[in-house]
Amino acid sequence: MDRPGKSERSRYEAEVAAYVEAGGNEQVQRVVTAVHGLHRRLSQWYTQNLSELDLSPGEWAVIRHLAAEADDHISTPSQLADTAAVAPSSMTHRLDRMAERGLIEREPDPDNRTRILVQLTRDGWEMFRQVIRESDMVESDVLSHVPVGQRDKLAQLLELAIAGLDDDLE
């Protein structure tokens, strides 16, 4: 449980010390714990920011997937449910709410009329852009303590770690 007033840095140091004392490799724990701490704090901000935009994290997951990951920015409800790790019925309700707000549209697949295709509307794309612009400001603040000349190297190192994830999962 987080204690009030405990800084992120002191939380990080305590976590690393505990993991090393339990037998973890200090170098590994420093990196993983730092990445986890960044993720935790950014997730808190994203949740707050999304709430201010009247957007749930689940709705953001749909918008983000359609904008950044889906082939041709089109997906099916079952693919979206798989991506979000929710039941198809839950995704149907989520998509209903998003369609009512004008963020997505659903149409029958012209090649398979039993399948529905989901894509962002103009308002959905604008919501995506707004979230990205606002999050970019916070993310820039997070990186403000990393010298500009070292940010590219940090990105390259993290990209190497991400590439290794794919190898490890196969």
Side-chain angles (χ1 to χ4, degrees):
M1 175 184 266
D2 294 340
R3 288 180 279 167
K6 192 169 189 179
S7 72
E8 192 63 39
R9 178 67 189 201
S10 62
R11 180 179 296 114
Y12 161 80
E13 290 170 353
E15 288 178 11
V16 169
Y19 300 146
V20 169
E21 185 177 329
N25 177 294
E26 182 177 1
Q27 193 176 41
V28 170
Q29 293 308 317
R30 286 177 57 212
V31 172
V32 172
T33 304
V35 169
H36 182 259
L38 285 169
H39 172 72
R40 179 177 53 234
R41 290 301 288 254
L42 287 171
S43 291
Q44 290 170 348
W45 181 86
Y46 296 140
T47 299
Q48 178 183 342
N49 185 52
L50 293 173
S51 175
E52 290 171 5
L53 296 171
D54 194 28
L55 198 64
S56 73
E59 291 167 334
W60 171 245
V62 169
I63 290 172
R64 183 192 49 73
H65 177 80
L66 291 171
E69 297 178 35
D71 293 335
D72 298 325
H73 306 295
I74 297 172
S75 194
T76 66
S78 60
Q79 290 168 329
L80 290 166
D82 286 346
T83 297
V86 298
S89 61
S90 295
M91 183 55 65
T92 299
H93 294 300
R94 183 177 298 167
L95 295 176
D96 288 344
R97 288 188 309 271
M98 293 178 75
E100 288 171 10
R101 292 181 58 199
L103 298 173
I104 57 117
E105 57 186 23
R106 296 178 281 195
E107 296 180 1
D109 183 341
D111 299 327
N112 178 351
R113 305 235 0 119
T114 62
R115 193 166 77 161
I116 300 296
L117 300 178
V118 180
Q119 63 185 11
L120 292 176
T121 62
R122 183 173 304 165
D123 287 347
W125 277 103
E126 187 50 41
M127 180 66 75
F128 177 72
R129 286 184 195 95
Q130 183 177 356
V131 171
I132 295 304
R133 284 190 305 266
E134 291 181 20
S135 65
D136 194 55
M137 289 186 294
V138 168
E139 292 161 351
S140 293
D141 287 346
V142 167
L143 289 177
S144 67
H145 295 281
V146 177
V148 174
Q150 294 182 6
R151 292 179 190 178
D152 191 49
K153 184 65 175 175
L154 175 61
Q156 290 172 2
L157 293 171
L158 291 170
E159 288 162 356
L160 282 174
I162 290 168
L165 293 176
D166 291 336
D167 298 340
D168 292 342
L169 293 176
E170 293 175 356

